[in-house]
Amino acid sequence: MIKALVLLMMLGGTLCSLAGTVTVNPQKAVIVLSSGAGKIKQFAAAELAKHLKLITGQQIPVVKGKAPAGKYAFMIGVSAPGGTKKMAPEQAVFTVTAKKSYFNGDDLVGRGRSLEAIAYSKYSRTGTLFAVYLFLEKELGVKWFKPGDDGIVFAPSKQLKLQAGTISWTPKLTMREIRPGYNKKTARDSVKAPKEFQLSVKQRTAKRLETQIWLKRMKMGRSQVFGYGHAFTRWWNKYGKAHPEYFALNAKGQRAPYHASKPDRIKLCVSNPEVHKLIVADFVKRGRGKVVNTCENDSGNYCECKKCRALDATMKGEKFDKDLTDRYIWFANSVQRLARKQVPGAQAIMYAYSVYRYPPRKVKVDDGVILGFVPKLLADDLDAYYQAWAKAGAKKLFLRPNDMHIDPGLPMGFEKRMFDNFQTCMKYGAFGTDYDSIHNFWPVSGIANYIIARAIADPGKSFDYWENEYCSTYGPAADEVKKYYHYWRKNIFEKKLIPDREMIEKKGRYGNFRRGLMWNLYNYYSDADFDKTDALLKAGLNKKLTPAERQRLELLLLANQHARLAYEAMRAKYKKPQDAKKLAVAANRLLDFRKNYREKLDFNWEFLFGNEATFGDVCGMVMTKTFKGLRPLKKLSLKWFFKIDQKDIGLKQQWQNSPWGQIDATWDTLYTDTFWEKAKCHPALHKQLQKYDGIGWYATRIKVDKKLQGKKLFLVFGAVDESCWIFVDGKPAGEHLFKKPDDWKTPFSIRIDKELDFEQKSHTVVVRVRDVAGAGGIWQPVYLAVED
């Protein structure tokens, strides 16, 4: 037996007992499960076997029962003699001795039938599994820089060199969650991607599981389990017909969904005591714990009734829905008080989100109310923000940010800002996290995913510590990789994007920073940025790297090249939209690149294509597809004539047949490079169009060369919000109706040659547009094109 002097150390929740070195021959080793070992311990054994095979090249067998004589035994689910018996929630402990290594932890089997579903359910506690990961990390230097087997970083070794002693880890946060992506939205986005990029349900589920496993390797988990999330999404369908009084009185003066197609977004009339009673009755009936969910539904259109408005602390001259925190704190307090009459110790949970993310002005937070904070990633002075909430009584809080949604699939450098925001929240006693959500653009934003996951598991270490650890996976090229990430962070994110964030959000509509950035990317990125970052990565490739390190670096370079092509396509789409040929070249070059490296680049392609389509065909792929077989002849003038039709009388009065002289003399002018709410026009018309939902008529004149007679001619519209009907010289040429969610931002073409009299010198094009919600109008360029 090795004699050793034991040194006890506490480092960031890890207890280390350091003694001598133990050498293990994998050919004489075995992994031992007790005969009654549950699913979590079985998975822990499988994970240990997988990693030891990667490291040693040897398949170490897993057996049940007692350890065979003469074998070094890795004992799963067994405490070392004299070791820890009573575990803290999710605690993990492993002990290395001369003859055996012991792995044990606090386990609780959650829901699910499969091994993986049980191990990765949020209802499970997986201390023994964490003990295996802790061992792999601390004893064998394993890192997991991304999901999948190719994301496992290790040093091959024929024998295992272990340090005798004990290491114990207990999480500081009782809820450590990052959502894995590849969710229902990804499935919906599938149809927006080319067929070769679409996944089957089985493939998508496997990808999601791969990310869930990575998160577990990062020690994500929770010992506090309670339900929350937008709580009333089904209420309208359930109660709307019989009890419209439960719901918000909207700006239309109706207690009904503002958008009929989105009943899940309707808000409650939170001042109605019957609503409170129903919430509590449902909570008591379910009998699931002591936390009652009061998280309001997503989006806008809050209740404007007098009683709800009386709950607000609106300042003079302020829009009523700028800050609604007081009404929602009052609501959560009221529901909690009512619930506690039937369930002692009940706690209400709500989001501090959207227009109720601000600290309350008058109302105090009742003791026991749980707040899920959703601050903006780019918000200033979060320290003062949390301080103000603390003064208002907020004591029980967790971080539920949307920070990861800033990720456009391009290098940006937001990882430190996200880390700093996390640390600020931790200062004020947060007990957990729930990040929404990993986008799975691993060669681009994997560093952000890695650093935040590591910080959640061990909040005591600095950003530099985790950044260095991540970059170390590139071996001797670590310095070059670090400089690469520093370049984007310093020169793009901190120098350009943060100072201009308000303008970017404004251009993106409804505060959408990512959309605003993609529409204006050419203002912030340049060819020189990609030249410099390519050079950094190529310098790293000149270092002496292992095959695995070289492969990782080549993948990073490939992702940077992809980002350059995406930038070029967005620049062609928005900087010079009149040049359809350049757009087609750039879009096709990007698409070809994606096809060539679809398997190699670890991207959630469905989600990426879905984002690009959702934000208005930002890379021009749909537009290019629309132009397929067509040759653009000219881009029509952005300045059109316009007439508002508030009473919808235009068709009856046949405005489509209006003589051009009458249009020129009596209609206003309006630019078609943005929605009519924001378009450049006469001040009186501009005032009418603010928040206008209804009918509007556009008109312009085009000249068509007589030589084109006999050719198929088309008007190609970049986008019209929402439905439109096109007339040429008074004759109906076609229509584009809003039927699918993305129709308002999807390019389309209308054939017009059959309506043309080629003896005429010019032709009148009239477009009737109907908008029923949100922004409206012709908001993207229109082209005249001919079929080649």
Side-chain angles (χ1 to χ4, degrees), residues 21-183:
T21 301
V22 177
T23 301
V24 177
N25 181 349
Q27 293 180 326
K28 295 181 179 181
V30 66
I31 298 170
V32 181
L33 273 169
S34 61
S35 55
K39 294 286 188 180
I40 291 171
K41 292 177 175 61
Q42 290 175 39
F43 195 83
E47 282 285 82
L48 181 60
K50 172 199 274 285
H51 286 79
L52 294 183
K53 183 179 180 181
L54 287 172
I55 293 167
T56 67
Q58 300 293 321
Q59 182 67 60
I60 298 177
V62 178
V63 301
K64 288 187 176 182
K66 294 182 178 180
K71 297 280 188 178
Y72 187 91
F74 295 98
M75 307 296 293
I76 304 297
V78 179
S79 293
T84 306
K85 297 297 182 184
K86 188 176 180 180
M87 298 280 184
E90 297 186 277
Q91 184 179 355
V93 181
F94 76 83
T95 299
V96 175
T97 71
K99 294 183 178 181
K100 294 179 181 179
S101 287
Y102 299 88
F103 303 83
N104 200 17
D106 171 58
D107 295 342
L108 177 68
V109 176
R111 300 175 183 177
R113 295 182 180 179
S114 69
L115 187 71
E116 293 85 355
I118 290 174
Y120 299 106
S121 166
K122 68 180 180 181
Y123 299 98
S124 295
R125 299 203 300 268
T126 54
T128 301
L129 185 59
F130 291 152
V132 166
Y133 295 142
L134 196 65
F135 168 82
L136 293 169
E137 178 188 338
K138 299 294 185 183
E139 295 291 332
L140 301 175
V142 174
K143 299 181 184 69
W144 301 275
F145 91 111
K146 76 178 191 69
D149 288 354
D150 58 342
I152 301 173
V153 180
F154 61 93
S157 178
K158 291 182 179 180
Q159 292 188 321
L160 301 173
K161 301 286 187 180
L162 309 179
Q163 183 70 47
T166 296
I167 293 183
S168 174
W169 175 81
T170 302
K172 290 185 176 180
L173 302 182
T174 57
M175 187 173 92
R176 306 172 313 286
E177 287 198 12
I178 302 174
R179 302 181 190 185
Y182 286 107
N183 51 22

Side-chain angles (χ1 to χ4, degrees), residues 99 167 224 295 345 350 357 437 495 499 533 544 610 786:
K99 294 183 178 181
I167 293 183
Q224 285 196 80
C295 297
M350 65 167 279
R357 69 182 181 274
S437 61
K495 186 177 180 180
T533 48
K544 189 176 181 180
V786 61

Side-chain angles (χ1 to χ4, degrees), residues 287-344:
R288 296 178 184 173
K290 291 194 172 186
V291 177
V292 53
N293 188 359
T294 66
C295 297
E296 179 62 284
N297 292 338
D298 209 352
S299 301
N301 302 302
Y302 298 89
C303 188
E304 298 188 32
C305 78
K306 289 182 179 179
K307 289 184 178 180
C308 283
R309 292 286 298 271
L311 298 172
D312 301 330
T314 308
M315 298 175 71
K316 188 176 180 180
E318 187 177 73
K319 288 175 60 180
F320 102 90
D321 60 350
K322 178 178 174 57
D323 185 340
L324 302 182
T325 303
D326 282 74
R327 75 162 64 174
Y328 280 103
I329 292 295
W330 178 88
F331 172 55
N333 288 346
S334 176
V335 171
Q336 179 173 282
R337 292 168 192 170
L338 192 61
R340 286 184 169 184
K341 292 179 180 179
Q342 299 186 60
V343 181

Side-chain angles (χ1 to χ4, degrees), residues 550-723:
R550 184 169 297 279
Q551 184 180 15
R552 286 193 280 274
L553 190 55
E554 287 173 346
L555 187 64
L556 191 56
L557 180 60
L558 201 64
N560 207 49
Q561 292 167 351
H562 170 266
R564 182 196 290 265
L565 294 174
Y567 154 74
E568 289 174 351
M570 291 181 207
R571 180 179 61 185
K573 172 76 185 286
Y574 293 105
K575 189 173 184 180
K576 294 184 177 179
Q578 70 275 12
D579 197 335
K581 287 184 179 179
K582 282 189 176 180
L583 175 60
V585 170
N588 285 326
R589 188 187 297 130
L590 174 61
L591 184 58
D592 288 344
F593 187 91
R594 289 177 176 178
K595 288 177 179 179
N596 290 336
Y597 297 105
R598 176 174 61 90
E599 295 292 342
K600 196 169 184 179
L601 274 175
D602 192 4
F603 276 22
N604 182 343
W605 291 112
E606 291 177 324
F607 191 52
L608 185 63
F609 278 104
N611 278 345
E612 291 172 352
T614 297
F615 294 149
D617 186 34
V618 295
C619 290
M621 291 188 182
V622 179
M623 177 67 99
T624 298
K625 188 177 180 180
T626 305
F627 268 116
K628 190 173 183 180
L630 301 179
R631 175 167 50 88
L633 296 171
K634 67 173 82 171
K635 177 191 171 190
L636 305 192
S637 172
L638 292 175
K639 185 179 179 181
W640 288 49
F641 286 89
F642 181 84
K643 189 172 184 179
I644 195 169
D645 188 4
Q646 292 171 307
K647 296 181 180 180
D648 193 12
I649 58 175
L651 280 177
K652 187 176 181 180
Q653 295 182 358
Q654 298 186 352
W655 290 3
Q656 68 272 24
N657 294 321
S658 300
W660 183 254
Q662 181 182 337
I663 291 172
D664 186 33
T666 62
W667 290 28
D668 290 296
T669 56
L670 188 78
Y671 281 75
T672 56
D673 56 347
T674 188
F675 307 97
W676 60 35
E677 287 87 345
K678 296 183 178 181
K680 183 179 177 182
C681 60
H682 190 276
L685 177 61
H686 181 75
K687 187 175 181 179
Q688 281 184 295
L689 291 175
Q690 294 304 296
K691 295 187 177 181
Y692 175 65
D693 294 328
I695 307 294
W697 292 71
Y698 290 80
T700 191
R701 298 198 90 183
I702 59 172
K703 292 184 178 180
V704 181
D705 195 319
K706 193 174 181 180
K707 294 178 183 178
L708 294 170
Q709 189 167 1
K711 300 279 188 180
K712 293 180 180 179
L713 300 174
F714 296 81
L715 288 177
V716 180
F717 289 79
V720 177
D721 187 355
E722 296 162 344
S723 297

Side-chain angles (χ1 to χ4, degrees), residues 54 142 184 219 270 414 454 466 575 592 679 775:
L54 287 172
V142 174
K184 291 179 181 179
K219 303 189 196 72
V270 297
F414 67 90
R454 295 293 271 162
W466 298 124
K575 189 173 184 180
D592 288 344

Side-chain angles (χ1 to χ4, degrees), residues 477-548:
D479 285 345
E480 285 73 19
V481 171
K482 191 173 179 179
K483 289 176 184 177
Y484 169 81
Y485 286 116
H486 277 206
Y487 182 91
W488 294 114
R489 190 183 315 141
K490 300 295 182 184
N491 294 287
I492 300 299
F493 192 76
E494 294 176 0
K495 186 177 180 180
K496 295 181 179 180
L497 301 185
I498 289 180
D500 217 14
R501 61 190 180 278
E502 290 183 3
M503 179 59 70
I504 295 171
E505 288 177 351
K506 185 178 179 181
K507 288 183 177 180
R509 296 177 60 219
Y510 311 119
N512 193 314
F513 180 90
R514 181 171 47 170
R515 179 166 56 199
L517 177 61
M518 294 169 106
W519 287 356
N520 298 273
L521 199 72
Y522 59 87
N523 286 326
Y524 303 101
Y525 289 65
S526 69
D527 290 319
D529 294 323
F530 293 102
D531 291 339
K532 292 172 183 177
T533 48
D534 276 353
L536 287 170
L537 298 180
K538 288 175 181 177
L541 286 171
N542 291 328
K543 299 290 182 71
K544 189 176 181 180
L545 307 175
T546 66

